[in-house]
Amino acid sequence: MIDLAEAQPRGADFTLPTARAPRPPTETAELSAEILVLKRRLNAVILAHNYQVPEIQDVADFVGDSLGLAQQAASTSADVIVFCGVHFMAETAKILNPSKLVLLPDRDAGCSLEASCPAPELEKLQATNPNFYTIAYINCSAAVKALSDVIVTSGNAEKIVRAAPADRDLLFVPDENLGQWVMEQTGRPMTLWRGNCYAHVEFQRDQILRARAAYPDAKIVVHPESLREVRQLADAVCSTERMVTFCKSDPARRFVIVTESGIIHRMRKECPGKEFLCAPVFDVLRMPTDTCRCSECRYMKMNTLEKLRDCMARRAPQLDLPPEIITQARVPMERMLEISARA
Ligand code: 13P
Ligand code: SF4
């Protein structure tokens, strides 16, 4: 069978993710043991995004959101960074650590947001207003970062927009939903690029209303990449890392999580005794479902434990970037880390 995820170019819009056959637990244990041996041999650190499959999260040194991963990449003393996420995240690690070897399990793991904003198109828009101050969501290419004044993640976007120069016209790329949410929080008008996360815009208001009616005791936690009509129904709107913190500290016992389903693994591990339901909660036949794959990011799920082992064994694929892009993209990345660290 052709694996569609393998066959399509990075960033292309394709149809359904293919089903994964479950791997026997002994194989998972053997692969994980191999990965840990390779990790010691390479003096590597394994960084994994919250949306990675559970077995990758379980062998990683750090699992977190885009902000936490960028901070880890900036401060690691390892010789090799193995990045289990999507391509732009591995690029971010390389920008922050140009002298280190950055490996990624699948170089075709793209992102619909990154694909929506080609650097030449951004340059054309920037040329229409010399007073633009470009704020780029980290979900974009290194070339777009190189054209930007500051980078944000969903965890610090509000803080960074509040710190933006008052006399500049703000241009926010590429996620119009996150941008709209930040405008609502800060009151700062911004010109928004018309990009979106294909996975988060799938969540619909009626699905959330149905979940609310069926589980009135549950708190609804929504990622800001979601549509406004969905965000408006939330008890909390936050990045994946803050979602974990919120669910840990909130007294509720049950939560409906409106983001990519990979985060549920961490929540179940870190919040024992609480119940996590992954949106949309009900399938098309309106039956409760815990196995619906429509909340999976097909790009994040291109990484597997086998591909992780192989990239470490072969020291490939490696992430490389032109030195001039690294130099230019590093400036807004470091500005982000500096503003983010402010009290
Ligand atoms: P965070 O990691 O900032 O929560 O963003 C989620 C996401 O879509 C990453 O691609
Ligand atoms: Fe991109 Fe959306 Fe996947 Fe995140 S979840 S990597 S924003 S497509």
Side-chain angles (χ1 to χ4, degrees), residues 1-10 12-19 108 298-299 302:
M1 185 171 56
I2 295 172
D3 184 335
L4 284 176
E6 297 284 348
Q8 298 290 331
R10 181 161 58 83
D13 209 5
F14 45 91
T15 51
L16 289 170
T18 49
D108 288 334
R298 58 173 73 106
Y299 306 107
M302 287 169 80

Side-chain angles (χ1 to χ4, degrees), residues 49 51 65-66 88-89 137 139 154 223 225 239-240 300:
H49 190 267
Y51 296 162
D65 69 353
S66 308
F88 76 79
M89 294 180 170
Y137 186 29
N139 296 35
S154 60
H223 196 278
E225 287 173 11
S239 78
T240 52
M300 286 281 181

Side-chain angles (χ1 to χ4, degrees), residues 238-258:
C238 43
S239 78
T240 52
E241 195 59 38
R242 293 220 189 124
M243 283 183 171
V244 177
T245 325
F246 176 83
C247 294
K248 271 186 189 162
S249 61
D250 193 87
R253 309 303 298 163
R254 200 193 316 245
F255 300 85
V256 173
I257 304 300
V258 188

Side-chain angles (χ1 to χ4, degrees), residues 147-298:
L147 292 172
S148 302
D149 292 293
V150 68
I151 309 301
V152 302
T153 71
S154 60
N156 61 21
E158 187 184 331
K159 185 175 189 178
I160 287 176
V161 168
R162 285 188 196 283
D167 58 344
R168 301 289 296 274
D169 299 324
L170 305 190
L171 168 62
F172 189 94
V173 303
D175 188 356
E176 62 175 331
N177 292 302
L178 176 66
Q180 196 181 58
W181 179 71
V182 174
M183 281 206 292
E184 288 160 14
Q185 303 309 302
T186 61
R188 268 315 283 272
M190 300 197 287
T191 300
L192 303 180
W193 190 269
R194 304 294 303 274
N196 61 47
C197 163
Y198 91 92
H200 282 88
V201 297
E202 284 295 309
F203 296 117
Q204 300 298 315
R205 184 180 161 81
D206 62 328
Q207 296 168 344
I208 310 303
L209 288 171
R210 223 173 285 146
R212 175 77 88 199
Y215 302 103
D217 59 318
K219 289 275 171 74
I220 303 210
V221 189
V222 174
H223 196 278
E225 287 173 11
S226 309
L227 299 170
R228 177 193 270 147
E229 68 212 46
V230 169
R231 296 194 309 264
Q232 282 170 341
L233 298 174
D235 293 297
V237 178
C238 43
S239 78
T240 52
E241 195 59 38
R242 293 220 189 124
M243 283 183 171
V244 177
T245 325
F246 176 83
C247 294
K248 271 186 189 162
S249 61
D250 193 87
R253 309 303 298 163
R254 200 193 316 245
F255 300 85
V256 173
I257 304 300
V258 188
T259 193
E260 213 273 355
S261 56
I263 187 78
I264 302 284
H265 179 64
R266 241 193 98 186
M267 287 173 167
R268 289 187 179 143
K269 258 169 105 168
E270 295 184 29
C271 310
K274 295 193 176 186
E275 188 185 351
F276 296 98
L277 301 164
C278 188
V281 180
F282 297 98
D283 65 16
V284 282
L285 300 172
R286 305 202 169 191
M287 298 298 287
T289 176
D290 197 30
T291 53
C292 174
R293 300 192 62 215
C294 47
S295 55
E296 286 191 357
C297 168
R298 58 173 73 106

Side-chain angles (χ1 to χ4, degrees), residues 36-57:
L36 295 180
V37 170
L38 286 163
K39 194 175 77 133
R40 276 193 294 276
R41 198 176 295 158
L42 292 171
N43 187 26
V45 63
I46 302 177
L47 306 180
H49 190 267
N50 286 321
Y51 296 162
Q52 291 295 286
V53 291
E55 55 268 33
I56 289 185
Q57 293 192 27

